[in-house]
């Protein structure tokens, strides 16, 4: 419960506050998950930040999730911030975690699209090379 309070106080509440970017249309997709649910959902690591109440996945309904990522990057403290599958456009989402005294501002792109990865020119990692770390701004590629 304390972890969830810290997450909301330091990350979610500022997003939906009057000065935040998602005050009227923020969709919370996933916050706390039990270990059992995390396992059932398949593809989630067994040590997911969600099972400890450290993390939330969210997006702006019908909105600009690249802008949401950038706002979070520039305005919040966090341990991990991930722009997830931007090629899904309005169905993409942001993952953020907050761990008291351990907010080191890791950033990640998760994408199946070479065009998105090529924008950053970093090293890809993980199964199927879907992840790229240390992105500093959400950039949408010009795809012709």
């Amino acid at each position: 419960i304390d972890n969830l309070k810290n997450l909301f106080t330091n990350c979610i509440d500022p997003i939906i506050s009057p000065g935040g970017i998602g005050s009227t249309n923020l969709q919370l997709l996933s916050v706390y998950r039990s270990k059992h649910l995390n396992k059932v959902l398949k593809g989630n690591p067994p040590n997911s930040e969600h099972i400890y109440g450290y993390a939330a996945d969210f997006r702006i309904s019908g909105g600009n999730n690249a802008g949401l990522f950038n706002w979070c990057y520039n305005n919040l403290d966090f341990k991990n911030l991930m722009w997830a599958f931007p090629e899904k456009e309005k169905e993409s989402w942001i993952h953020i975690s907050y761990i008291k005294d351990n907010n080191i501002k890791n950033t990640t792109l998760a994408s199946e699209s070479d065009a998105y990865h090529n924008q950053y020119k970093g090293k890809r990692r993980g199964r199927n090379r879907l992840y790229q770390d240390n992105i500093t701004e959400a950039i949408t590629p010009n795809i012709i």
Side-chain angles (χ1 to χ4, degrees):
I1 292 172
D2 286 339
N3 295 342
L4 288 168
K5 286 180 184 178
N6 285 332
L7 173 66
F8 273 76
T9 298
N10 293 285
C11 296
I12 304 303
D13 289 349
I15 293 169
I16 61 175
S17 73
I21 190 169
S23 58
T24 60
N25 53 357
L26 189 75
Q27 290 181 325
L28 290 174
L29 305 172
S30 179
V31 184
Y32 171 77
R33 292 185 211 140
S34 67
K35 287 182 181 182
H36 176 73
L37 177 60
N38 193 64
K39 186 176 182 179
V40 168
L41 291 175
K42 303 220 186 284
N44 294 302
N47 63 342
S48 168
E49 295 170 319
H50 290 276
I51 65 175
Y52 303 103
Y54 292 138
D57 297 341
F58 53 91
R59 67 174 161 237
I60 292 180
S61 175
N64 179 351
N65 292 307
L68 177 58
F69 177 93
N70 291 339
W71 189 91
C72 293
Y73 178 79
N74 289 311
N75 292 282
L76 301 176
D77 286 328
F78 54 85
K79 180 175 184 199
N80 292 301
L81 181 66
M82 179 173 65
W83 188 22
F85 304 98
E87 63 272 15
K88 295 181 179 185
E89 298 177 357
K90 294 178 182 176
E91 298 299 313
S92 69
W93 69 93
I94 308 300
H95 167 95
I96 197 165
S97 65
Y98 183 92
I99 302 175
K100 189 176 179 181
D101 300 323
N102 191 16
N103 292 301
I104 53 179
K105 290 197 147 191
N106 288 321
T107 56
T108 303
L109 168 70
S111 179
E112 295 174 338
S113 168
D114 288 339
Y116 278 91
H117 282 286
N118 292 341
Q119 292 288 104
Y120 300 102
K121 299 177 178 41
K123 183 177 178 183
R124 294 168 70 166
R125 66 168 175 83
R127 185 178 49 186
N128 300 325
R129 300 180 57 233
L130 297 179
Y131 301 97
Q132 188 174 159
D133 297 318
N134 302 315
I135 65 171
T136 56
E137 180 183 21
I139 303 169
T140 302
N142 294 324
I143 302 173
I144 299 174

